[in-house]
Amino acid sequence: MTTDSLLPNQTNKGHIGDPLSRVDGHVKVTGAARYAAEYTTPDLLYGWVVSSPIAKGRVTAIDDAAARAIPGVVDVITHENRPHLAWLDHSYADMVSVPGSPFRALYDDKIMFSAQPLALVVAESLEAARDAAALVRVDCEAEPHNTDLRVAMKDKFEPKKKRSTFEAPKSRGDALVAYEQAALKHRAEYHLGTHHHNPMEMHATTVFWHGDGKITVHDKTQGAQNVQGYLASVFGFSKKDVRVLNRYVGGAFGSGLRPQYQVFLATLAAKKLERSVRVVLTRQQMFSHVHRPEAVQTVALATDHDGRLQAIINDATTPTSRFEHYMEVVCNWGLMAYACDNASGEYTLAEVDTYTPGDMRAPGAATGMTLFEIAMDEMAFEAGLDPLEFRRLNYAEKNAMNDTPYTSKALREAYNRGSEAIGWKDRPLAPRATKEGHELVGWGMATGMWDALFMKTAATVTLLADGTLLVANAGADIGTGTYTVMTQVAAETLGVPVSKIQARLGDSELSAAPVEGGSWGAASTGAAVQLACESMAKQLLKAAAKIDGSVLHGAGFDDVEFRDGVIRLKADPSKQVSLTDALAATGKDRLEVEETAKPGPMDLISTMRKSRNTHSAVFAEVKVDEELGVVRITRVVCAVAAGRIINPKTARSQILGGVVMGIGMALHEETLTDHRFGRFMNHSFAEYHVPVNADIDSIEVIFVDEPDPEVTPLGVKGLGEIGIVGTAAAVANAIFHATGKRVRSLPVTIDKLL
């Protein structure tokens, strides 16, 4: 696989800070990029999942005779005839597991959620598998179930065992007393509906069976090595006999962090039948696994007469499955974001009969910060203050929850630049003050906040005799531009032209990398590539200096620069040696270097003493039909403080995508459940609404200059998730300003405004 094809109008510089077009863009727009369900091999079998019709109970009988009679059907695999599987919970764990007992498809007769896979029909053709699956008769004995969060909240609890990445909210002062004694108060309950992942590429797996106990797995995943370890552990393969590939991923944003059940079923069938097998989930079946959990959040705020916060009380509950305890950082954002001496937070779970929720773009923050920012808008209105001035008045110079300074925080400048771009100074304070024709006009804003993370990551760079540079690790590019980041960092560090660089990702055999998530991809992979290129540069300089009569003889590393495929003296650029000549001087036809970037001891100490976050200021303009309640979002301005920007073009694209998802959160997205059956009702694109082109108008992205060498070696902070945080709140607040109607449950649908 190569990704060095340039679009016709693309420059060849590609250094850090250049707006280089995506290096993988050409293969994607021409259809040359292949995804998990597009790889083929001779004698490939096709699997079709038979899903549970009930939410809870057990399977009493399975009649597959009619299915097996369909020509081309090879097998119907159920819990009754499956091969032996590992039975300990830890065998099913993965890199991002949550406390509890991981789901095991076809393990026994228990049914734990609606649409749970109960059988896999395997046939010579997709059509035969699909038709036969419709003929499998599954008899079930239903048990009482509950999928209603409000009912489950009667037994809400705080789990004893928590995810390693979870940070519990820390209280300070006496929030209850301060709230009671304050001059001005606001308290309300806020709600966010369930969201389901609906990426363009549905979850799919193609397993190639090689006949010698070895398998190659093409999987829709955000972590090839995560899936590799999972399959080896569950099925007893040697890890070296399992190769997982995910070179291109058609959208993910958390849905592919953990191995989903289609990769388990495809591998199970391949091992049982000793054949290559493909399993693709239908769009409806995409609603049977990971999703953003519903949330109920109660926020109480109090200020003095001048509007200075005196108390913050931020409590939230989200649902989880009965077999795992999935937690998000929901309450902390409100406790961190603003200066207030008295603050408390409580986060609890409630068990329901669904699949375990999971990470979805900015998990926890997209929920908790968004709902908190609606409450902040209400408190500003109660205090008679402009919402932006209210936030400036209560600006926190440091992380207010942990009492730690930030490595950098340019939120004030984001407020200034964003408000100027939207024309905030002309915004009237009172709601319903502006009208254009039959539409009410309003402006709202919110603060966004997300983590700036740096994970241990390795990268390998290989220089070939023709000057080609291969840059590789096992990470993934889920559409966030990692291929391009790797290319630009390598071009900047080693001076190789972009046209001579080939970036490689999505292969478990490459250098170790974490799953692609948490907005740490560019920062972590970029740091590893930089480190490997610097190491190679030093080796090449050493070889170049030893060439007979070399113009670089005696030059130190700080005396030279790597540009345009040569090593040259800074003091006299005419004195240079090409990288290919330096490689030849090593006596090799290729030079390979692997390095690992990881937080050092001082970085870990700094992490405990300082907070590392990205920030944003989101402003929205809406127009609402006064009679029909139809909302149009006419402008969004998102000003982002996120460290050094490697590529302003791809970075802007990330923020645009996040803002669009935030608009979906504000007006469109919600999975609805019929609690009588414990089943999601709108499990299709016909009924699960997401924003389309006609819903999106002007979005302006502003990057605030915020160099931060402390947060990562490149000074980079992740951009994949900050764009969604707070966007829905800005829209909801703008709707209030336009209409005077406060909606505390997202999405804001027409019925809630009428």
Side-chain angles (χ1 to χ4, degrees):
M1 178 201 69
T2 63
T3 59
D4 58 328
S5 299
L6 299 180
L7 296 178
N9 63 344
Q10 183 165 296
T11 70
N12 195 36
K13 291 182 179 179
H15 294 160
I16 292 177
D18 290 343
L20 185 72
S21 295
R22 291 174 184 264
V23 296
D24 54 330
H26 188 259
V27 294
K28 285 184 175 179
V29 299
T30 58
R34 285 195 289 172
Y35 296 82
E38 297 180 321
Y39 290 88
T40 190
T41 189
D43 301 319
L44 179 67
L45 298 176
Y46 299 83
W48 195 276
V49 177
V50 178
S51 304
S52 168
I54 65 172
K56 188 176 183 179
R58 55 183 292 268
V59 177
T60 56
I62 297 178
D63 184 352
D64 61 10
R68 290 182 181 274
I70 295 289
V73 170
V74 175
D75 202 356
V76 179
I77 304 174
T78 70
H79 70 280
E80 296 175 338
N81 64 2
R82 61 160 175 78
H84 171 77
L85 293 169
W87 62 278
L88 293 173
D89 282 339
H90 71 74
S91 297
Y92 294 80
D94 63 89
M95 291 180 182
V96 286
S97 285
V98 300
S101 180
F103 173 65
R104 315 172 197 191
L106 311 189
Y107 191 76
D108 53 28
D109 63 354
K110 293 180 182 177
I111 298 173
M112 297 181 288
F113 55 91
S114 181
Q116 175 179 318
L118 301 182
L120 183 72
V121 177
V122 186
E124 299 286 351
S125 70
L126 178 68
E127 293 78 10
R130 180 191 62 200
D131 293 348
L135 300 178
V136 175
R137 177 179 171 182
V138 181
D139 295 331
C140 304
E141 182 180 283
E143 297 175 7
H145 69 268
N146 175 52
T147 51
D148 191 332
L149 174 59
R150 297 287 182 175
V151 174
M153 283 177 65
K154 297 174 184 176
D155 299 311
K156 65 183 181 180
F157 63 100
E158 182 182 341
K160 294 181 179 178
K161 189 175 182 181
K162 301 175 175 63
R163 294 177 82 178
S164 59
T165 55
F166 178 76
E167 180 185 14
K170 299 182 183 71
S171 299
R172 58 186 183 271
D174 194 328
L176 287 173
V177 171
Y179 180 81
E180 292 300 327
Q181 295 177 350
L184 302 172
K185 303 172 189 177
H186 165 73
R187 185 183 187 279
E189 181 184 277
Y190 301 87
H191 174 261
L192 178 71
T194 305
H195 292 176
H196 268 86
H197 288 274
N198 274 287
M200 289 184 291
E201 180 194 17
M202 293 171 288
H203 279 280
T205 303
T206 304
V207 179
F208 290 180
W209 182 266
H210 298 301
D212 52 2
K214 292 182 170 63
I215 58 173
T216 298
V217 180
H218 296 275
D219 188 41
K220 191 250 173 60
T221 176
Q222 291 171 246
Q225 291 175 332
N226 190 25
V227 172
Q228 178 194 40
Y230 170 82
L231 295 178
S233 179
V234 170
F235 293 102
F237 290 106
S238 170
K239 189 179 279 190
K240 63 180 176 59
D241 291 336
V242 179
R243 184 184 184 187
V244 179
L245 299 168
N246 63 325
R247 286 168 175 155
Y248 298 103
V249 182
F253 294 110
S255 66
L257 286 176
R258 302 182 68 183
Q260 298 301 338
Y261 64 75
Q262 92 288 336
V263 69
F264 171 91
L265 293 174
T267 307
L268 178 74
K271 184 175 182 180
K272 182 176 191 287
L273 302 173
E274 297 187 347
R275 295 274 300 272
S276 298
V277 178
R278 172 179 297 156
V279 176
V280 182
L281 298 187
T282 65
R283 180 60 65 185
Q284 288 73 26
Q285 288 167 344
M286 289 292 291
F287 286 77
S288 65
H289 53 72
V290 62
H291 54 277
R292 191 194 302 278
E294 182 182 4
V296 173
Q297 185 167 334
T298 301
V299 183
L301 301 172
T303 71
D304 60 19
H305 288 292
D306 295 326
R308 295 187 185 278
L309 283 168
Q310 302 299 300
I312 296 173
I313 302 173
N314 196 24
D315 301 335
T317 302
T318 59
T320 189
S321 68
R322 297 194 189 277
F323 50 91
E324 289 179 309
H325 290 161
Y326 171 79
M327 304 185 74
E328 295 185 340
V329 176
V330 176
C331 298
N332 300 15
W333 308 100
L335 304 186
M336 291 190 289
Y338 298 102
C340 180
D341 291 336
N342 305 285
S344 69
E346 182 183 57
Y347 175 59
T348 52
L349 295 181
E351 291 183 341
V352 292
D353 295 302
T354 67
Y355 188 83
T356 307
D359 296 330
M360 188 172 183
R361 201 173 201 165
T367 300
M369 190 71 177
T370 293
L371 298 181
F372 186 84
E373 283 296 295
I374 298 175
M376 284 289 289
D377 196 75
E378 294 206 59
M379 188 70 247
F381 183 77
E382 182 70 26
L385 292 173
D386 174 88
L388 176 57
E389 292 310 311
F390 180 58
R391 286 166 174 81
R392 283 172 169 157
L393 180 66
N394 293 286
Y395 191 89
E397 297 292 348
K398 58 185 178 180
N399 180 323
M401 186 181 79
N402 293 322
D403 196 33
T404 49
Y406 291 101
T407 56
S408 62
K409 183 182 180 182
L411 178 58
R412 272 204 181 93
E413 187 176 351
Y415 283 153
N416 295 340
R417 294 187 61 186
S419 61
E420 182 179 358
I422 199 79
W424 190 264
K425 64 181 176 60
D426 298 322
R427 174 190 185 270
L429 187 61
R432 298 183 68 90
T434 307
K435 190 175 180 181
E436 293 181 3
H438 57 86
E439 292 179 312
L440 298 165
V441 186
W443 293 267
M445 61 85 56
T447 302
M449 189 175 178
W450 182 244
D451 296 315
L453 300 171
F454 175 40
M455 307 290 283
K456 180 180 178 181
T457 306
T460 300
V461 294
T462 307
L463 182 64
L464 305 182
D466 66 355
T468 298
L469 184 71
L470 310 179
V471 186
N473 78 3
D477 188 336
I478 61 174
T480 48
T482 310
Y483 280 117
T484 310
V485 166
M486 296 170 74
T487 301
Q488 288 187 258
V489 173
E492 173 84 13
T493 310
L494 203 54
V496 177
V498 167
S499 61
K500 299 292 287 184
I501 298 175
Q502 296 180 15
R504 296 180 174 178
L505 287 164
D507 186 342
S508 61
E509 292 188 347
L510 299 177
S511 299
V515 294
E516 175 84 349
S519 297
W520 58 62
S524 305
T525 296
V529 170
Q530 181 190 42
L531 200 61
C533 286
E534 287 177 347
S535 180
M536 174 174 282
K538 291 173 182 176
Q539 293 186 39
L540 291 172
L541 174 61
K542 186 177 180 179
K546 291 182 178 179
I547 298 174
D548 289 342
S550 174
V551 294
L552 301 180
H553 180 73
F557 191 67
D558 293 335
D559 301 323
V560 301
E561 59 185 3
F562 291 74
R563 287 289 180 269
D564 302 321
V566 301
I567 313 170
R568 65 192 187 194
L569 287 176
K570 292 178 181 177
D572 184 358
S574 66
K575 295 181 177 180
Q576 57 184 243
V577 173
S578 69
L579 297 181
T580 51
D581 286 346
L583 172 62
T586 67
K588 305 174 183 177
D589 61 359
R590 60 191 288 140
L591 179 61
E592 183 175 296
V593 176
E594 182 183 51
E595 294 288 351
T596 300
K598 59 183 178 181
M602 294 309 296
D603 294 309
L604 295 174
I605 292 172
S606 175
T607 299
M608 292 184 288
R609 293 178 178 173
K610 291 188 178 181
S611 293
R612 304 175 176 211
N613 294 91
T614 56
H615 296 86
S616 67
V618 191
F619 298 83
E621 176 189 87
V622 302
K623 296 182 179 179
V624 184
D625 189 292
E626 189 172 17
E627 293 184 1
L628 302 178
V630 175
V631 178
R632 293 193 302 125
I633 302 172
T634 48
R635 290 184 67 200
V636 175
V637 175
C638 187
V640 181
R644 185 184 187 188
I645 304 301
I646 291 181
N647 184 321
K649 182 186 291 187
T650 58
R652 176 179 178 271
S653 179
Q654 284 303 290
I655 300 302
L656 289 177
V659 168
V660 171
M661 286 187 75
I663 290 172
M665 177 181 282
L667 299 182
H668 304 277
E669 287 201 55
E670 183 178 19
T671 314
L672 302 171
T673 305
D674 187 331
H675 297 302
R676 297 172 300 169
F677 304 104
R679 180 175 285 263
F680 296 121
M681 296 184 291
N682 55 333
H683 56 305
S684 70
F685 272 157
E687 297 295 337
Y688 186 90
H689 296 163
V690 296
V692 296
N693 287 352
D695 297 308
I696 306 303
D697 207 315
S698 170
I699 302 175
E700 181 177 353
V701 178
I702 298 170
F703 290 113
V704 175
D705 186 37
E706 188 190 53
D708 191 337
E710 282 190 82
V711 71
T712 59
L714 282 170
V716 173
K717 294 180 178 180
L719 284 164
E721 285 155 299
I722 186 62
I724 191 176
V725 183
T727 297
V731 172
N733 294 339
I735 291 172
F736 167 75
H737 185 244
T739 65
K741 181 73 177 290
R742 180 66 69 178
V743 179
R744 300 186 177 113
S745 179
L746 299 180
V748 182
T749 48
I750 292 175
D751 59 298
K752 296 174 184 177
L753 289 175
L754 293 179

